[in-house]
Amino acid sequence: MGQSGPNGAVGPNGAAGLAGGLALAVPCDITCMGIVWFLIVMAVSGLIVGAVARLLLPGPDPMGLLGTILGGIAGSFVGTLIGRLLFGPNYAAGFILAVIGAMIIIGLLRLTRRPRATY
């Protein structure tokens, strides 16, 4: 038997919990940590791809860090789509096509945004 929780309840797996057998902490196994690392790597690679794309496009970009990350991630998907159309269904986008895809996404964002008024 597990230890009892703050009100004496013991969960179905012997974990201490609240009344009704609810566990206080959710165990995080290998799959959970894999998802966390996947999201971290995706955010960092999206930031790098988005930053390079913003550097290569001339003109101002009034977008923040989150916009840069999302633009880089979306650009990677667009780059993969372009690569699969050109090179076959098993192609995964490399860095160059990911940057080109991010440049397309950022360019489309520039076209859809209204210019800010300057005084």
Side-chain angles (χ1 to χ4, degrees):
M1 292 294 290
Q3 297 177 348
S4 62
N7 58 359
V10 177
N13 295 330
L18 300 173
L22 297 175
L24 290 177
V26 177
C28 190
D29 59 355
I30 301 296
T31 305
C32 180
M33 289 306 295
I35 292 171
V36 170
W37 277 109
F38 171 74
L39 293 174
I40 290 171
V41 169
M42 188 167 51
V44 170
S45 64
L47 177 64
I48 293 169
V49 168
V52 170
R54 285 181 64 185
L55 286 173
L56 293 176
L57 282 173
D61 279 323
M63 75 172 62
L65 186 67
L66 184 62
T68 303
I69 291 172
L70 293 177
I73 292 170
S76 295
F77 286 118
V78 170
T80 299
L81 178 66
I82 292 171
R84 288 185 180 186
L85 290 173
L86 295 177
F87 304 116
N90 295 328
Y91 182 79
F95 183 74
I96 294 173
L97 272 180
V99 170
I100 291 171
M103 290 172 68
I104 292 170
I105 295 293
I106 293 171
L108 289 174
L109 282 175
R110 283 185 185 177
L111 290 176
T112 59
R113 289 188 178 179
R114 290 183 289 170
R116 293 185 181 193
T118 56
Y119 296 101

